[in-house]
Amino acid sequence: MPHPLDTFFAPSSIALVGASRDQEKIPGRLLSMLRKNEYPGKIYPINPNYPDIDGLACYKTIGEIAAPIDLSVIIIPARAVLGALEECAAAGVKNCVIISSGFAEEGGDSAAMQDRIVEIAKRTGMRISGPNAEGFMSEVQKVAATFSPTVDVKPGHVPLVATTRRVGIVAQSGGIGFAIKHRAKAIGVAISYCVSAGNESDLGAGEFLDYMVQDAATDVILLFIEGIRDVDKFLAAAQRAAEAGKPVIVTKVGRSGAGVRAAASHTASMAGWSAAYDAVFAKYGFIVSNDMDEAVAIAAVLASNPLPKGDRVAVLTVSGGAGIWGADTVSMQGLQVPALSAGIQSEIKQWMPSYGAAGNPVDVTAQGVSMGGLQRSIELFDASSEVDATLVIMSFSSDTRMPFKEAELKPVISAQNKPVVFYSYTLPSEFARRELAKAGVVILSGLTHVGVAMRRLLEYSRFKLAPPADAASLPARDLSAHLKSPRMSEADSKALLREAGIALPDEVLVAGRDALDAAIAKIGFPLVMKIQSPDIGHKSEAGGVRLNIATKGEAFSAYRDLLESVQKHRPHAAIQGVLVSPMAKKGVEIIIGTLKDATFGPMVMVGFGGITTELFRDVTYRPAPVGAAEAEAMLGELKAAPLLRGFRGAPKADVAALAKLISQLSLLAARLKDEVSELELNPVLVHGEGQGVTIVDALAVRPK
Amino acid sequence: MPHPLDTFFAPSSIALVGASRDQEKIPGRLLSMLRKNEYPGKIYPINPNYPDIDGLACYKTIGEIAAPIDLSVIIIPARAVLGALEECAAAGVKNCVIISSGFAEEGGDSAAMQDRIVEIAKRTGMRISGPNAEGFMSEVQKVAATFSPTVDVKPGHVPLVATTRRVGIVAQSGGIGFAIKHRAKAIGVAISYCVSAGNESDLGAGEFLDYMVQDAATDVILLFIEGIRDVDKFLAAAQRAAEAGKPVIVTKVGRSGAGVRAAASHTASMAGWSAAYDAVFAKYGFIVSNDMDEAVAIAAVLASNPLPKGDRVAVLTVSGGAGIWGADTVSMQGLQVPALSAGIQSEIKQWMPSYGAAGNPVDVTAQGVSMGGLQRSIELFDASSEVDATLVIMSFSSDTRMPFKEAELKPVISAQNKPVVFYSYTLPSEFARRELAKAGVVILSGLTHVGVAMRRLLEYSRFKLAPPADAASLPARDLSAHLKSPRMSEADSKALLREAGIALPDEVLVAGRDALDAAIAKIGFPLVMKIQSPDIGHKSEAGGVRLNIATKGEAFSAYRDLLESVQKHRPHAAIQGVLVSPMAKKGVEIIIGTLKDATFGPMVMVGFGGITTELFRDVTYRPAPVGAAEAEAMLGELKAAPLLRGFRGAPKADVAALAKLISQLSLLAARLKDEVSELELNPVLVHGEGQGVTIVDALAVRPK
């Protein structure tokens, strides 16, 4: 299927604006890289100072070239860039990459120049990547439109390629993007493209991601971002990736205070709030990794294996100690290393000496290797119903010896039904990498990364894009009457929720002592009384709450006390009255909230009450709205989730009712995104199965 | 200072029992390795089948050699080993390494042979390592007493050495030990020794550790264990390491179910309970790592840097994206990346172009490198009072270019006062490793490992061996009268604790209805009543507890109800009576327990009540006894520790009283280690500062 960026990534012709004869400097290196990597299309160097460069005719201006130009790579001083862009547009150039620095990242006048670039792109329809970009490399079409030293090809170098499936890399930072490529290629992972986004004046990471998602030559995507600017394109690409089942491994930096501070200045990006990013990643099944080698290991495992059907791992080794370490490592990731049946053990024992171990980890020993025990065990596990994946743990450091014969291993790997992951506890030799690459095997050398990668593979195999929220579960109503005041009390907030269709307990707002009797008659004992004022956020701290009131006498004195206490603590607060509510029956305490993220808009949050949220940070987020299924998935992510499943003999909680409430609140937050900045239900009590939930307190916050 | 193992690690003469001319096989490889690594002492090959091997006279038996033998390396079939050992002992051989397999790891008769080896060592005083060992390598004395392929030296190979300080490796698994050495040497970490312990018939990991701790040529120790057998030697070595300030990085495997299963068979070791190991490691300040590259990174950083004086890190880079990633990574490890002062920023700005960033991370940019900005910044940070360590983040992949000049960098690094850690986001080239090694710099290539290593360095700098428990805080008393029954009730357990000198609330055990009045008069209202029986572990579940009793009438009916309820639930339980206790005043809920680990003996555990222990596993252990200072350190390790520090406006808790109680209980557990297998105080309520603690419930469990 054609994509608008096809001429960008696979240009038939490239103009180099600012080409140079000096290959030691960046402008000169661009031409040299294109040719070393055997770019098959036309190259037009542009530089008024040379008649020719390296055997190619050199043009004074882009207008001189009387031929169509798919891509213009611009590497000239910042002040000359705008003029060059206008010339490119006039000449009908389809795409530009601006390598030059000195725009938004410098601020002031330089930032204003970047605004002009945006304007040119919009006006002319020419697509522009950068400025401050490191360009891109297409290994599919042999386009090295970058000065990155990592694409410098040494004469006679034969690339190591172990995987048939290819990994595409999209990175806002060129340094990181090409470093990921460097590491991936070193272990034999085939690459389709590596593109750096730079300042993203026009083309952004979201649109590049979209290209990789739709590109048939890309099977797995590695994404490195500081902050997304083209949010809508990014979200559309994420949705497509999830629908197509194309895995995206994402690293998002700018998570710490210092990281955010730096990201804000670097390429002038908005690092944003990382919890919101993680929520979006979770929604689309993106695989998050904060470490480069880990991310590459995950990509390597995805590019060279089918997805597992379960969590049971066979650990196969020749070193007892390494086997135990491997079993520990995958177990710590929550995978199973089951003891094998007597039947399968006796089969394995044929291929190992008496001091081997057939339990799991399976230690065939060095002698077992010469008996063919390794590859026979791999075959056996691949066919067995007892395990879902195999982890092979070996020393692959030798420059001369291989524990496998290519002719024997290759058919086993080609026919594999389950993941088979290879780890070397010694540093693997280049010889071993190349020998195993012939059978389609990547050797990994970080054991923790292997464990994480196998875990992520399982999670990815289980991921399902949640069905969208059911808008009908919250009827469309005009809520404007409830959204007039700039600050809202609990009673105001609950009135809004009730009107929107969210179920709440019957409550009475008592504005004067005379109305208290009727309220008590309606609510019944025991009851709760809470002062109501849009000016008082924390009612308890202002002495504004009385619980468990059991008699009329208590109720009347509580009414008086509440007003007196608030009068003392907050003399200037506007008092609406006292809210009389029934004491809620017991339940598991939950907090549900919504807020608005600067990048992704409304988000919904859920966590348990008490100290779990504050001390253990046991909360989870999703972009709003979520459906009930996604809400249940959120609850399942919480460490304290067992509290809902009948903990210590308690009855199972009404998770269905809770999930419905989360979904409804998230729908409301999405509908009112411009009128309400935060909604908080805290606490919500979740009763036993079939008994529903009770919203005890609620607050809506209006935008400032 | 001489060490009993000096002749083992630095032998003047070596006999090779089972030497062979066939260098393809392990027996032949041993001689070849010794010579390739230029062993300077005498070598005596022993094999009745050859007159000479490779130019060396070959002996029929060890008795033929009329010279002292420091070390005999034995690689012959298992059934011939015992005879060879007797001959070695008769010939006065000081030490043996048995490479041969087929002993305890096979079980049955083979295991019995290993018992005979132990007996020979005890009887003759000859020290024996193995069987089933991979031997050792001393890089200090050039002794390659191993067949490990990792010590095979290629002709003309010049080792990469970046550190002057050396790392010693002790590993129960030879495969892992030499793999660690392989990885460490590949990045330029100097090694002193690498020793594998195998089945540890006589010499064990504890004694080898002790050698490294006392050895002047070893500055940092890497320890890999499945389970410690020579526990006393291990603990003595750990104590010495802590006192000497010599860091030990430890990997303990056999942490998962499958790992324990495998470790139990592999080298027949007892993997033990990993929480007990972690408790021992914490006591002695061992640095725990579960990943090989991480462990090597920590060793590299320790071997090439002074300890930091604080937690503030300057991140110095030439790539904006990599700098942010670095700042995030160290921040996630709890280190600070502070914004730099205007003064220091203006100094840095002299050495970078306008589009650089001087904040922190500091991005001097590629152009800043050519202005000398990198090493000037390192110098500046080293002298500055604003940071405590520098993380340099670069691409070191070039085979020809270096961002530093050796002559300029070397003096900076030689004079460093603070850690300076170098990370390459691209894979570092061998060229770059060797160039930087000249200045004493190790290049690391895993960013997460760098962050962890910098964190561990800080923790190690802060570690202090806790003073021993003060025995006088719990007077020595004869408790035998309280230790007669095989099962103990709460009242029995509390009587034991009281007699031992631990403060408990006044309580009365009421054995008959007639005594209730007097008990109430003594305890006062509100009070608690609990059924007492050594046969009832969970009183609440048997309906045996009544709380908050406020009147005499309630007390008498509670008394009747308790007996009835227990009669119904547990008709065969022997009832001692009802324990009448005061309702405890409020406090933070704590659990303190002791138990007995099979390897390390009595341990003390502390955690918070409620769900934190069960769902968040927020508990910590130490070997008993602990002093009050160590008990406070334990409390500080808990994630919920803020609950004791005045959480959400609550008063600060009486941590001193709690620490004293933990110490006392641990002293008691240590003293009664043969009489009591578990003690549990659950809950203990910790009141406000100066208000003490209340032990609400207690249980002592007698050994089975």
Side-chain angles (χ1 to χ4, degrees), chain A residues 403-633:
Chain A
F404 299 96
K405 290 179 191 137
E406 182 195 342
E408 291 169 11
L409 186 62
K410 194 169 181 172
V412 178
I413 297 298
S414 314
Q416 73 180 118
N417 298 300
K418 301 172 185 171
V420 185
V421 180
F422 288 72
Y423 162 72
S424 174
Y425 49 91
T426 47
L427 284 175
S429 66
E430 186 66 18
F431 167 80
R433 290 204 179 282
R434 287 182 182 268
E435 285 300 307
L436 281 186
K438 293 175 189 168
V441 167
V442 177
I443 304 176
L444 297 173
S445 81
L447 185 54
T448 306
H449 298 155
V450 166
V452 171
M454 293 183 79
R455 174 75 203 181
R456 296 293 172 269
L457 207 66
L458 177 69
E459 287 166 358
Y460 188 75
S461 76
R462 288 175 175 172
F463 171 75
K464 274 184 203 147
L465 192 57
D470 176 13
S473 74
L474 198 70
R477 285 186 190 155
D478 178 7
L479 302 171
S480 55
H482 293 275
L483 294 163
K484 287 182 174 155
S485 146
R487 273 164 305 161
M488 295 172 72
S489 69
E490 173 189 356
D492 298 335
S493 306
K494 284 179 164 173
L496 168 71
L497 295 172
R498 231 178 246 115
E499 180 70 25
I502 291 174
L504 283 144
D506 275 344
E507 294 172 325
V508 179
L509 179 60
V510 176
R513 203 178 155 79
D514 305 345
L516 193 51
D517 261 325
I520 291 170
K522 184 166 182 201
I523 302 302
F525 292 114
L527 56 77
V528 177
M529 292 170 70
K530 293 179 273 187
I531 200 80
Q532 295 298 310
S533 162
D535 302 326
I536 299 177
H538 295 92
K539 296 182 286 283
S540 295
E541 289 173 14
V545 179
R546 292 293 182 281
L547 300 175
N548 231 344
I549 293 166
T551 66
K552 220 176 242 198
E554 282 181 55
F556 274 88
S557 54
Y559 186 86
R560 189 193 56 227
D561 291 353
L562 282 173
L563 291 175
E564 276 176 13
S565 171
V566 167
Q567 179 64 26
K568 200 176 80 184
H569 284 95
R570 306 289 297 273
H572 304 296
I575 305 301
Q576 297 173 321
V578 169
L579 190 66
V580 178
S581 324
M583 267 301 283
K585 56 185 172 169
K586 283 191 175 178
V588 179
E589 214 176 286
I590 288 278
I591 301 168
I592 312 173
T594 73
L595 48 83
K596 214 172 141 185
D597 176 64
T599 307
F600 296 108
M603 311 293 297
V604 57
M605 175 276 251
V606 60
F608 285 82
I611 59 167
T612 66
T613 299
E614 202 160 337
L615 288 184
F616 295 96
R617 303 186 185 229
D618 192 23
V619 295
T620 184
Y621 297 85
R622 281 291 189 290
V626 296
E630 197 168 3
E632 281 208 37

Side-chain angles (χ1 to χ4, degrees), chain B residues 342-354:
Chain B
I344 200 166
Q345 289 203 39
S346 70
E347 284 201 68
I348 296 169
K349 277 178 183 161
Q350 302 168 59
W351 316 316
M352 59 165 65
S354 59

Side-chain angles (χ1 to χ4, degrees), chain B residues 65-89:
Chain B
I65 310 165
I69 310 284
D70 281 347
L71 177 68
S72 190
V73 182
I74 298 174
I75 170 73
I76 52 179
R79 64 184 181 283
V81 165
L82 293 173
L85 285 176
E86 296 286 8
E87 287 179 31
C88 285

